Amino acid sequence: MSPLDAKKTLKNLKSKGFVLAKHKSDDHIWIEFWHKGKLTRVKTKISHSSKELNDYLIKCMSNQTYLSKSEFVDLATCPLSHEAYIAILKTKKIIE
């Protein structure tokens, strides 16, 4: 699988309901998924120094966001909409 651009991935995840976490880390950018004004248990992180997300990091982030690897790539590159992501999370009973 091709690597993903870390900055574009972060930007696209933020457009899908993820927000920067209030707690800071020296080595990672933490992002959390909010739904209907409430924090969910969905969160992931991107290294401050990361320019590309390799296959291993994509797999880790897909697990943290409760998606398959291909679904995560679609979420990060925009074919998977915010609404479709919410539907997946509801199906998996991650959110109500």
Side-chain angles (χ1 to χ4, degrees):
M1 184 171 284
S2 306
L4 296 173
D5 180 277
K7 285 185 181 182
K8 286 182 183 176
T9 297
L10 179 60
K11 179 183 172 195
N12 291 337
L13 291 177
K14 287 169 62 178
S15 76
K16 305 286 175 76
F18 285 85
V19 297
L20 294 176
K22 293 188 191 260
H23 58 278
K24 305 277 184 187
S25 171
D26 291 336
D27 55 347
H28 290 93
I29 300 167
W30 285 89
I31 54 175
E32 305 164 325
F33 185 73
W34 288 72
H35 178 63
K36 294 184 178 179
K38 294 182 182 178
L39 178 62
T40 68
R41 61 182 170 163
V42 181
K43 62 184 174 197
T44 190
K45 62 184 177 178
I46 297 175
S47 174
H48 281 290
S49 63
S50 220
K51 292 185 182 192
E52 291 185 333
L53 303 174
N54 63 26
D55 197 48
Y56 173 76
L57 293 175
I58 292 169
K59 181 62 178 167
C60 291
M61 292 178 80
S62 69
N63 289 337
Q64 294 164 347
T65 55
Y66 299 93
L67 296 171
S68 70
K69 207 157 81 169
S70 64
E71 288 171 331
F72 178 78
V73 170
D74 284 348
L75 183 69
T77 59
C78 285
L80 185 65
S81 69
H82 174 76
E83 293 77 16
Y85 182 49
I86 289 173
I88 290 169
L89 293 177
K90 285 182 177 180
T91 300
K92 294 181 178 184
K93 305 212 184 300
I94 306 300
I95 61 173
E96 296 178 5

